Amino acid sequence: MSRDSAKTPDTRQHSRIVVDGLEHAPSRAMLRAVGFTDEDFGKPQVGIASTWSMVTPCNMHINGLAEEAGRGADEAGAKSVIFNTITISDGISMGTPGMRYSLISREVIADSIETVVAGQGFDGFVAIGGCDKNMPACVMAMARLDRPSIFVYGGTIQPGIKHRDIVSVFEAVGGAAAGRVSAAELLEVERTAIPGPGSCAGMYTANTMASAIEAMGLSLANSSAQEAVSRSKIDDCRRAGAQVVELLRRGIKPSDILCREAFENAITMVIALGGSTNAVLHMLAIAHEARVELSLDDFTRLGRRVPVLSDLRPSGRYMMSELIHIGGIRPLMKTLLDAGLLHGDVLTVSGRTMAENLADVRPYADGQDIIRPLDRPIKKDSHLAILYGNLAPEGAVAKISGKEGLLFKGPARVFASEEAALKGILGDVVQPGDVVVIRYEGPKGGPGMREMLSPTGAIMGKGLGDKVALITDGRFSGGSHGFVVGHVTPEAAVGGPIGLLEDGDMITIDAEAMSIDVALDEDTLARRRSAWQPPSRAPLRGMLAKYAHLVSSASTGAVTDLGLDRDDR
C-alpha cells in the first residue's frame, strides 16, 4: 500500500513556526550563528539525533555517522541540524550500582529527543542509536513525535580474536572463580574481546533491537546488518538523511507505519533470530508510545507458530558479523514472508511495503549453517516463554532455547540483590539443583531493573549452566543464557510473590506448560504476605526517586507515563 498524499504536504509544518515572519528575526539571528544561510530558512529542517559518546565502543563512532546523515539530508534539499543525547554503557555498568541508570536512560533519551525536536521545530529527523537503551529510546521518540523520521543502527562490532566478545569476558570471570581460567588467561581475554567501535557482537539486545526496528519498517534495508566500521554503514546514513526528506514530501509519518502488524513483524524477527528478552520490554514500551495495543500474550500467540532459525550467540555459535557476510537478515525476512509469517502489506520508511522491499531478495547461498531452513529449525517454537503462575500472576519472561531443557524444579536460594547473588555464586553458596532467586531488582525495587549478566556469566563460567536456574524481578542482558526467567511481576518491591520466598521453597519452571510456581498453598502465601515488609534502604533522590515513583510494571514495558492523558501532546 505505497502511500501518496492527495495534497502536497507542508514540508515545513513545524520549522516555519520558528523562523518565518518579522517576529522571528531573533530566531533567525541565532541560527545564522550556527551556520544557517538566507536560503536555509526556506528549507525543511531535519534534526539528526546523535547518540555519540566516548563512554562506550557501541557509540564512539556515531558522530561521523551523524555527519553523513546530515549530508544526505542537505543534498536532498533540507537543512540538517545535528544534536546529541546521552547514552549509558550496559557492559561497563553491569554488576554495579550504575546499572540502575541503564533502563532509566531509555526514558531520558526518548524525552530528550522529544524535547529538542519539538522545541526547535524540526520537521523531521534521523535518529542514530548504537547501544541497548538508546535504540528503543530513539524509536519511542519517533512514535511519540510522529514526524517523518528514520532510525539508523550504528552497526555491530567486529569479533575479537579467537571469536571473542564481551560475553567471553563475563564468562571468563566465572571460569577464573572456578579455577579453570588463570589470571593470565583472563587478562588476555579482557585485552582482546573488544577490538573497536560497534555494538556487542552476538544476537544480544542491540542487534536484536536493530533487527526488530528494521522489521517494524522504521529503518532502511539492511540497516540492522552492517558492521559499525564499513562503507555500507556510511551509505546507510547518507541514504537515511535523503529519505527523510522524501518522507516529508510524501507526508509519511511513523503513525502510517506503526500498526499492529508492524509490531507482529518485529516480534516474529526477534523469535526467528533467537533475540534478547529485553525486546519484550522495549516492544511493549514502543507500542505504548505508538498507541498500539500489545501485550505479553501477543508474544505467546506468535511464539506458537514462529520457529527459532538462527544459530547466533549467546546460545548459538555465530556472531552478527558472520550473519552479515552471508547476506544479513533480509533473506531470512523473505523466507518468513513467503511462509506467511510476516505481513507484507505494511508500509516502511522506504515508502514501499515490506513485500515490495523484499521482492528481489535472493536466498542464502547453499552451505551456510547460521540460519536454518524452516523445516529444520533450532527450536520449533519461540525461545521467549511468557510464564504465569503463583510466582508471577502478571507474567514473567523466560529465555529458553531448549538446550537447557524445558523443565526445572529445585529449592530456592534467595538473594536480595545482584551483588549478594554474585557473591553466593562465586563463593559456592549456590549448588547444583538450586533455583537462584534475585529480588528487589525490579523497575521500582532496584530502582531501574538491572540486567543480570554478571550472575548468569558467573553461572556459566562456574560450569553450572545446565545445573541451576535463575529467576528475578530484574532483567537479563541479551548476552545471558541458561535456564533464566526475568521480569517476574508483580515485583518484590510492591509485595509480589517473589518477595515472599524463603530458602528451600520448591520452585517449578515449566516451559511447556508456560508456568512458574512455588509449592506453597494460598494460606502460607497469605500468612507471609501479611508479615511482609519492604527492606529498608537509603532514601532515594533525583533521577532514581523520580523513576521509582513513576515507572510502571515490567509487564507493561516499564514506561513512566502509563495512565497519563496524552491527547494534548
Side-chain angles (χ1 to χ4, degrees):
M1 57 179 184
S2 298
R3 178 184 182 276
D4 288 290
S5 179
K7 63 177 182 177
T8 303
D10 181 2
T11 62
R12 298 184 57 235
Q13 177 183 353
H14 302 284
S15 62
R16 69 172 64 254
I17 298 171
V18 177
V19 300
D20 285 9
L22 178 70
E23 68 275 22
H24 293 300
S27 303
R28 296 192 295 274
M30 295 191 73
L31 288 169
R32 290 178 191 278
V34 298
F36 275 63
T37 65
D38 288 340
E39 185 182 32
D40 290 334
F41 293 120
K43 299 175 181 177
Q45 290 186 31
V46 172
I48 311 293
S50 169
T51 58
W52 171 82
S53 174
M54 289 301 290
V55 305
T56 173
C58 305
N59 293 64
M60 62 186 285
H61 63 300
I62 284 179
N63 195 48
L65 299 184
E67 291 174 351
E68 293 293 340
R71 290 188 187 100
D74 293 342
E75 290 167 359
K79 173 59 179 174
S80 66
V81 181
I82 298 174
F83 66 96
N84 270 91
T85 182
I86 66 163
T87 194
I88 297 289
S89 171
D90 288 9
I92 295 171
S93 64
M94 195 75 68
T96 76
M99 185 38 141
R100 293 190 172 94
Y101 289 89
S102 170
L103 186 58
I104 294 174
S105 76
R106 186 189 71 181
E107 312 309 305
V108 176
I109 295 162
D111 290 350
S112 67
I113 294 174
E114 175 195 358
T115 300
V116 175
V117 170
Q120 293 295 121
F122 295 145
D123 300 295
F125 64 102
V126 176
I128 310 174
C131 197
D132 294 11
K133 305 310 169 298
N134 57 57
M135 299 171 67
C138 287
V139 179
M140 290 165 69
M142 291 167 68
R144 192 186 294 174
L145 286 156
D146 200 30
R147 302 182 189 190
S149 47
I150 293 177
F151 175 79
V152 174
Y153 178 37
T156 192
I157 195 171
Q158 296 175 346
I161 65 168
K162 298 183 181 179
H163 214 238
R164 288 173 178 149
D165 64 3
I166 186 61
V167 176
S168 306
V169 188
F170 280 97
E171 294 185 359
V173 170
R180 296 188 292 104
V181 175
S182 70
E185 289 170 330
L186 175 60
L187 181 60
E188 199 242 340
V189 173
E190 174 190 328
R191 285 174 169 170
T192 58
I194 310 295
S199 299
C200 296
M203 190 49 63
Y204 311 145
T205 303
N207 283 316
T208 298
M209 289 308 302
S211 302
I213 294 165
E214 181 173 334
M216 206 183 299
L218 293 180
S219 294
L220 294 177
N222 261 338
S223 184
S224 66
Q226 295 162 342
E227 291 182 337
V229 181
S230 65
R231 181 72 244 177
S232 58
K233 182 48 64 183
I234 291 171
D235 292 343
D236 181 37
C237 294
R238 188 75 69 95
R239 288 188 300 117
Q243 184 61 21
V244 165
V245 182
E246 178 64 17
L247 296 181
L248 281 164
R249 290 172 179 148
R250 295 180 59 182
I252 297 175
K253 301 179 294 184
S255 59
D256 298 308
I257 296 169
L258 290 177
C259 57
R260 183 174 176 82
E261 291 78 12
F263 282 93
E264 291 187 352
N265 283 351
I267 294 169
T268 295
M269 284 304 299
V270 170
I271 295 170
L273 289 166
S276 168
T277 55
N278 279 317
V280 178
L281 196 72
H282 297 326
M283 298 294 287
L284 292 171
I286 296 167
H288 168 71
E289 296 294 350
R291 304 191 184 192
V292 171
E293 291 294 327
L294 195 72
S295 74
L296 289 175
D297 294 338
D298 290 307
F299 289 83
T300 299
R301 175 176 56 83
L302 293 168
R304 292 192 184 104
R305 65 189 188 100
V306 179
V308 178
L309 298 175
S310 67
D311 191 11
L312 294 167
R313 290 189 177 186
S315 57
R317 295 175 292 166
Y318 295 100
M319 296 186 183
M320 190 67 181
S321 59
E322 292 162 305
L323 177 59
I324 290 168
H325 292 157
I326 67 165
I329 70 167
R330 283 168 59 74
L332 173 58
M333 294 172 72
K334 182 68 159 62
T335 297
L336 295 169
L337 176 69
D338 290 346
L341 296 174
L342 283 185
H343 300 283
D345 60 348
V346 294
L347 188 65
T348 72
V349 290
S350 71
R352 303 189 302 169
T353 67
M354 182 66 71
E356 290 170 339
N357 288 343
L358 297 173
D360 298 326
V361 173
R362 300 177 64 182
Y364 295 114
D366 292 340
Q368 66 82 27
D369 60 353
I370 301 174
I371 302 295
R372 297 273 190 89
L374 282 167
D375 61 359
R376 194 167 54 86
I378 288 174
K379 191 172 185 289
K380 65 180 178 60
D381 53 11
S382 180
H383 65 302
L384 299 176
I386 308 301
L387 310 181
Y388 292 93
N390 67 354
L391 258 183
E394 295 176 8
V397 181
K399 184 178 185 180
I400 299 174
S401 69
K403 296 177 181 179
E404 314 84 357
L406 299 172
L407 178 72
F408 198 101
K409 183 176 182 179
R413 185 74 64 178
V414 182
F415 301 96
S417 70
E418 179 185 3
E419 289 85 353
L422 183 61
K423 184 177 179 181
I425 294 163
L426 297 178
D428 297 326
V429 173
V430 172
Q431 295 295 309
D434 284 348
V435 177
V436 179
V437 178
I438 307 177
R439 62 191 183 193
Y440 297 106
E441 291 286 5
K444 288 184 179 293
M449 204 179 180
R450 290 192 289 178
E451 292 181 348
M452 302 293 146
L453 183 54
S454 292
T456 60
I459 285 170
M460 289 294 172
K462 292 274 285 185
L464 295 171
D466 59 349
K467 298 178 179 66
V468 302
L470 189 154
I471 71 171
T472 180
D473 53 7
R475 58 195 175 91
F476 294 109
S477 162
S480 293
H481 56 123
F483 210 115
V484 297
V485 183
H487 308 207
V488 173
T489 54
E491 62 176 290
V494 299
I498 191 172
L500 309 179
L501 293 175
E502 298 176 0
D503 282 344
D505 290 342
M506 291 301 298
I507 294 172
T508 300
I509 307 165
D510 189 334
E512 290 190 306
M514 308 289 270
S515 62
I516 178 168
D517 293 285
V518 59
L520 298 173
D521 58 39
E522 283 303 313
D523 289 343
T524 303
L525 286 171
R527 185 170 64 253
R528 290 187 186 181
R529 188 174 290 110
S530 65
W532 174 82
Q533 292 289 332
S536 60
R537 67 181 181 190
L540 298 173
R541 298 188 64 189
M543 183 61 68
L544 293 178
K546 287 188 283 188
Y547 185 81
H549 177 70
L550 293 170
V551 70
S552 73
S553 164
S555 64
T556 55
V559 296
T560 53
D561 64 349
L562 190 68
L564 298 180
D565 183 0
R566 302 185 304 148
D567 289 340
D568 59 350
R569 177 173 290 167

